[in-house]
Amino acid sequence: MARRPLDSVVVETIAGGCRILQSIKLVQDMHGPASMQLTCGDDRAWKEITRIFQPGREARLLLNGRLLFTGRFEANDVPASPQSGVVVDITATTKLADAKYITADPNTRFQNVSIRDFVLALFAPLGYTLADFQFDADADRDLQTGEAKGKPKLVDLEPLLDGKAKVQPGESIWDAFTRHLKRFHLMGWDAADGRIIVGKANTDQAPMGFLRARRDQPNANNVISPHRIKDWSEVVSEVRVAGMMQTEDGDDEQIFGAAGDADVLAIAAETGHYKRRLVLPLDGLRTRAKAEAQSRRELAARNRMKDAWDH
């Protein structure tokens, strides 16, 4: 049986490439900043490694010459024990992580601006510019109305009033960023080259590859240790979203949209556990169809670890 070539993993630093790694973990998440954790070093090298892997220094991860991660070192721990000696546990994150810890400027302009311009203004206090982002075409749309010259109107979007559009007191850059993107079904995540992508996940494209972990042909595997996850610690049985719609008489009427998870509801009926109904007040729904669609999205987001795979 032909042997599969060994993979080449390199962490690039200001001092060059580091290949002496005991373990490495890369987390790429479209719902949050990417991160990298690695363990390296020995009794004789830990002082030099600690000097190189300093917080704020650039970190790049390459697998077989392909760039997977660009960020900066953030945490540097040096655990020691008589059994394993001295090693260095290092964590690297991306520039997107900064947005979670900085309060957004409440004076950020939100009227008559595009999504792109609003995002750039939000991140400007961090020193980020257009070169730090990659925007989807929908980023040209008006932040409040959703309109854009030469583009069709979004049928499931209602204009956002000034009180809701502006940065809220104490709101972080991340929260303001994701709150507005969510209205347009957009997301923000990290690219391998360190830029922040603002766009939509393409769930309709054909698969670009496959995952393989078979005992009879181990040399052909590209997954070493698949991990099945069934975590019900945060599941909800039902999500109801509430909004307001205007009747033909001009009166405001409350509307609801509901979505239930069949698996969780079945267990709740059988055992009495996980009877978790979540009610969310949301603005801009206006129709029952929009409320129903939003409830399904909220349910899927909250129950995504109910039956998932990690690898």
Side-chain angles (χ1 to χ4, degrees):
M1 184 182 297
R3 258 187 100 181
R4 176 179 172 175
L6 294 176
D7 291 319
S8 171
V9 180
V10 181
V11 175
E12 291 189 345
T13 72
I14 57 171
C18 176
R19 292 177 172 82
I20 307 175
L21 306 169
Q22 293 187 20
S23 66
I24 186 164
K25 180 180 180 181
L26 175 64
V27 178
Q28 294 174 309
D29 188 351
M30 294 182 69
H31 298 276
S35 64
M36 175 179 68
Q37 294 88 38
L38 58 95
T39 299
C40 61
D42 55 32
D43 286 340
R44 294 168 296 176
W46 71 270
K47 289 185 179 180
E48 184 67 12
I49 289 174
T50 301
R51 182 187 66 81
I52 295 172
F53 295 149
Q54 286 294 321
R57 301 293 189 182
E58 185 176 81
R60 285 161 39 98
L61 174 65
L62 294 94
L63 174 62
N64 298 330
R66 179 184 177 185
L67 181 64
L68 297 182
F69 174 88
T70 302
R72 75 289 171 92
F73 295 114
E74 188 164 278
N76 189 325
D77 296 330
V78 186
S81 71
Q83 291 78 27
S84 60
V86 180
V87 295
V88 183
D89 290 335
I90 300 159
T91 300
T93 59
T94 62
K95 60 180 62 179
L96 185 57
D98 288 338
K100 290 198 168 188
Y101 304 102
I102 301 296
T103 303
D105 183 357
N107 296 318
T108 303
R109 184 182 172 189
F110 61 88
Q111 295 173 319
N112 301 317
V113 297
S114 66
I115 301 169
R116 176 189 290 104
D117 291 340
F118 178 76
V119 169
L120 291 175
L122 267 183
F123 281 81
L126 295 173
Y128 301 158
T129 66
L130 182 60
D132 295 300
F133 291 85
Q134 179 180 329
F135 287 97
D136 182 279
D138 272 336
D140 290 332
R141 294 186 179 275
D142 186 274
L143 182 72
Q144 291 184 266
T145 67
E147 296 179 356
K149 186 176 180 180
K151 293 183 179 179
K153 187 175 181 180
L154 297 175
V155 296
D156 63 342
L157 188 77
E158 293 290 335
L160 193 63
L161 299 179
D162 289 357
K164 298 293 185 179
K166 67 181 181 180
V167 171
Q168 303 300 303
E171 191 173 33
S172 68
I173 292 176
W174 172 262
D175 288 339
F177 174 60
T178 54
R179 176 168 62 88
H180 278 284
L181 293 187
K182 190 175 182 180
R183 289 186 64 235
F184 295 89
H185 311 312
L186 298 175
M187 306 170 73
W189 69 94
D190 288 303
D193 62 4
R195 288 183 298 169
I196 300 170
I197 299 176
V198 177
K200 293 181 180 179
N202 186 359
T203 57
D204 297 324
Q205 70 177 14
M208 300 176 64
F210 63 92
L211 303 177
R212 182 187 181 103
R214 295 181 55 175
R215 286 185 295 178
D216 58 340
Q217 297 179 355
N219 291 332
N221 292 341
N222 57 10
V223 177
I224 297 176
S225 57
H227 178 201
R228 174 76 178 274
I229 301 171
K230 297 192 74 171
D231 185 349
W232 284 44
S233 58
E234 298 183 7
V235 299
V236 294
S237 57
E238 182 182 2
V239 173
R240 302 187 73 189
V241 298
M244 300 296 294
M245 66 176 291
Q246 198 169 60
T247 66
E248 295 181 355
D249 298 329
D251 299 325
D252 288 332
E253 177 184 331
Q254 194 168 32
I255 56 173
F256 291 95
D261 188 301
D263 296 331
V264 180
L265 289 170
I267 293 297
E270 179 182 346
T271 68
H273 300 297
Y274 302 108
K275 291 182 178 180
R276 300 174 177 176
R277 173 184 290 179
L278 183 66
V279 180
L280 300 173
L282 295 175
D283 295 312
L285 297 175
R286 301 301 179 185
T287 68
R288 290 186 177 85
K290 295 175 184 177
E292 294 285 348
Q294 186 63 36
S295 66
R296 291 192 293 270
R297 286 192 290 267
E298 296 288 348
L299 180 68
R302 283 165 171 76
N303 287 7
R304 62 192 180 97
M305 299 306 293
K306 186 192 71 175
D307 191 357
W309 284 89
D310 190 10
H311 53 84

